[in-house]
Amino acid sequence: MPRFVAFLRAVNVGGRVVKMDALKRHFEGMGFSEVESFIASGNLVFSSTSANGLDSKIEVALQRALGYEVRAFVRTLDQLAAASAHAPFPERDAAAFPTYLVGFLSKELDAAGVERLSVLSTKEDLFHVRGREFWWLSKHHQARPAITGRALEKALGQPTTLRNVNTIRRMVERYGDRKRIS
């Protein structure tokens, strides 16, 4: 059965705390199997017989269960491995900057979205877009970004959720067994 990763936005931030075992039960209630959470920030790995409409199915079910909107950004394990392997910035820069994130999107950015994001780029905040992901390398610590989430989403023209590149790499190491990748 194919394996997927759901990156949930608005889980365990801003006072909205959801235990990972509760999220796991919600996912099992949606008919998913082999559900596992990865750190307490809304990363769930699961199996599903169908790939169709997973983002929407998860969003509707969690809205009903939790009482607030939770955006879901679903990727296959192969897509996650590709995002992990992509290295858009020189290694020396990636090592020198304290914040290196991958942003997940529901759909690819159009040319206008790419242009708006490039306007945010400076020597201290670098962006790279590929498909439904973007990479953000910043000299600012994640706890004190120079670019707010609101400004970022305005530039993108759509919601996003961000994960540290190291988190993505650890997930691929843990779940990227070639026998299990869909």
Side-chain angles (χ1 to χ4, degrees):
M1 194 176 329
R3 300 275 286 165
F4 300 90
V5 178
F7 297 103
L8 305 178
R9 180 175 177 248
V11 170
N12 295 341
V13 294
R16 294 178 170 167
V17 178
V18 183
K19 300 280 186 193
M20 290 299 104
D21 57 339
L23 274 176
K24 181 180 176 185
R25 286 190 302 275
H26 290 308
F27 269 61
E28 290 168 343
M30 289 180 241
F32 303 134
S33 61
E34 299 180 273
V35 180
E36 298 178 52
S37 64
F38 187 83
I39 65 175
S41 59
N43 309 310
L44 287 106
V45 180
F46 62 97
S47 294
S48 174
T49 56
S50 173
N52 296 330
L54 290 175
D55 298 37
S56 297
K57 178 178 181 175
I58 293 167
E59 290 170 359
V60 168
L62 290 179
Q63 165 85 40
R64 192 172 30 245
L66 303 176
Y68 59 90
E69 180 183 51
V70 176
R71 296 297 305 256
F73 302 85
V74 177
R75 302 296 189 267
T76 66
L77 287 175
D78 276 346
Q79 290 168 331
L80 187 66
S84 172
H86 190 62
F89 304 110
E91 180 121 358
R92 72 178 188 291
D93 290 348
F97 285 48
T99 301
Y100 191 10
L101 305 170
V102 177
F104 295 93
L105 303 166
S106 295
K107 60 184 180 191
E108 289 188 23
L109 285 182
D110 58 16
V114 173
E115 177 60 29
R116 287 190 306 269
L117 186 61
S118 71
V119 169
L120 295 179
S121 228
T122 67
K123 289 180 183 178
E124 295 184 342
D125 286 288
L126 307 173
F127 295 95
H128 171 81
V129 177
R130 187 183 79 173
R132 294 185 302 149
E133 287 85 38
F134 69 94
W135 287 256
W136 180 8
L137 189 61
S138 180
K139 286 198 174 184
H140 303 278
H141 287 276
Q142 193 171 1
R144 297 182 313 278
I147 300 168
T148 65
R150 181 172 289 178
L152 182 62
E153 288 189 344
K154 183 176 180 184
L156 295 168
Q158 61 179 296
T160 186
T161 193
L162 301 166
R163 297 297 186 274
N164 189 289
V165 165
N166 292 327
T167 298
I168 301 304
R169 290 176 180 157
R170 286 194 318 266
M171 290 183 80
V172 169
E173 286 174 19
R174 182 169 180 176
Y175 301 106
D177 179 354
R178 295 306 302 171
K179 295 175 201 159
R180 298 176 71 185
I181 293 180
S182 58

